[in-house]
Amino acid sequence: MACKTTIGNITMGEGFPLVLIAGPCVIEDEDATLRIASFLKKLGENLGIGIIFKASFDKANRTSISSFRGPGLEEGLRILSRVKERVGLPLLSDIHEINQISPAAEVLDVLQIPAFLSRQTDLLVAAARSGRVVNVKKGQFLAPWDMANVVKKIEESGNDRILLTERGASFGYNNLVVDMRSLVIMRELGHPVVFDATHSVQLPGGAGTASAGQRQYVGALSRAAAAVGIDGLFWEVHENPDAARCDGPNSLPLDQLRPMLEQILAIDTLVRKESSSHD
């Protein structure tokens, strides 16, 4: 079973309720970022669920060179600092280069390794040595048991504060599929496991110069993952997904979050109750 990891005032892992990691794909502007974070905090308080706010200051792996990448490291971290000061949620964002780690670690609670970089040893080692929680997205090209090598790189660099995230596996061209067995397999590696439902319905490069997506399946996959047993759920959300500057087709509108979460939390409670009765 998964051990526990503490992030701010939230504990994830065995014996603890499901945590939601949510926010826009990329920081578009300060006001919208603060509004979404405030909405999520209130939602978490109403449902009694821990919330970690996520938003990227730079999306270095966009499909096209002309795609919007975000405000960049300095301005993005300034905006995320404002989220922490005004809203008070723990923060997660992607890092792509070693030189981003030190300034990012001063602001973020969780450093996220993007799926395409999940085997980059130097990046993993440097992130581990920051002392922050490290969330690694399982590469679309990796088997779940391959993540044992990723975990070893981080642990042997002196950090056991690790999250492992499933976000789908390549299934032919411009398509992903989720093998729910991967959640069980990665959980057996001894760290909390997160299911990234919104990236799992992404169609990489499916729109030619951008990725497409099928957000209508986010709820079904999220419920299935909760039934298997996960420690965290990862959703990209937006005030108006159809106008989002990144990952709009697989992002959820804010008004859909509460009813979807209520179903998932009911499943999570049942699964944890059943699991504890067998311990």
Side-chain angles (χ1 to χ4, degrees):
M1 294 295 291
C3 68
K4 64 181 182 179
T5 295
T6 300
I7 303 164
N9 61 353
I10 296 171
T11 301
M12 295 179 64
E14 183 178 359
F16 294 89
L18 186 74
V19 171
L20 177 65
I21 302 170
C25 172
V26 66
I27 297 169
E28 297 182 3
D29 64 70
E30 182 173 341
D31 289 343
T33 303
L34 287 167
R35 286 196 305 270
I36 295 171
S38 297
F39 176 91
L40 290 169
K41 182 178 182 181
K42 185 175 181 180
L43 178 67
E45 291 171 346
N46 289 340
L47 294 180
I49 181 175
I51 304 287
I52 297 170
F53 183 77
K54 64 81 52 188
S56 296
F57 53 78
D58 179 23
K59 297 296 288 186
N61 56 358
R62 294 300 307 275
T63 303
S64 168
I65 196 169
S66 62
S67 297
F68 177 70
R69 290 179 52 169
L73 179 68
E74 184 175 348
E75 176 65 4
L77 290 177
R78 184 194 68 79
I79 292 172
L80 289 171
S81 295
R82 292 278 286 162
V83 171
K84 182 168 281 189
E85 292 166 5
R86 292 186 55 180
V87 184
L89 293 176
L91 302 174
L92 175 151
S93 193
D94 305 278
I95 53 168
H96 295 86
E97 301 174 0
I98 291 174
N99 62 12
Q100 295 176 338
I101 292 175
S102 180
E106 293 181 8
V107 175
L108 305 177
D109 300 275
V110 184
L111 302 179
Q112 180 164 281
I113 308 296
F116 288 127
L117 301 178
S118 57
R119 284 183 46 161
Q120 295 297 104
T121 301
D122 290 346
L123 187 64
L124 290 166
V125 169
R129 290 176 176 169
S130 74
R132 292 301 188 188
V133 176
V134 180
N135 179 38
V136 187
K137 294 280 193 78
K138 180 179 74 64
Q140 302 92 324
F141 45 86
L142 291 178
W145 45 85
D146 292 334
M147 292 299 283
N149 295 316
V150 174
V151 167
K152 188 174 181 181
K153 290 177 183 180
I154 299 172
E155 289 179 336
E156 293 193 358
S157 300
N159 192 338
D160 64 354
R161 304 177 69 205
I162 302 168
L163 305 177
L164 301 175
T165 297
E166 169 62 54
R167 51 93 72 236
S170 296
F171 189 65
Y173 299 125
N174 305 123
N175 200 13
L176 299 170
V177 66
V178 179
D179 180 358
M180 290 293 171
R181 296 175 301 176
S182 69
L183 301 170
V184 179
I185 293 166
M186 289 199 297
R187 228 170 178 219
E188 291 171 348
L189 298 177
H191 297 282
V193 167
V194 178
F195 178 57
D196 180 352
T198 47
H199 280 103
S200 292
V201 300
Q202 188 183 64
L203 301 175
T209 59
S211 291
Q214 299 173 313
R215 77 170 70 99
Q216 67 268 30
Y217 300 124
V218 169
L221 287 179
S222 298
R223 292 190 297 271
V228 171
I230 51 176
D231 303 295
L233 189 61
F234 186 110
W235 283 348
E236 288 193 333
V237 304
H238 197 276
E239 293 175 312
N240 180 8
D242 291 335
R245 301 185 71 181
C246 178
D247 277 3
N250 52 268
S251 295
L252 292 172
L254 300 183
D255 61 2
Q256 290 186 12
L257 303 190
R258 179 161 187 157
M260 200 176 291
L261 268 177
E262 287 175 337
Q263 291 183 329
I264 292 161
L265 291 174
I267 295 169
D268 179 67
T269 299
L270 180 63
V271 169
R272 289 177 190 275
K273 180 178 179 181
E274 182 69 15
S275 177
S276 64
S277 70
H278 292 298
D279 289 343

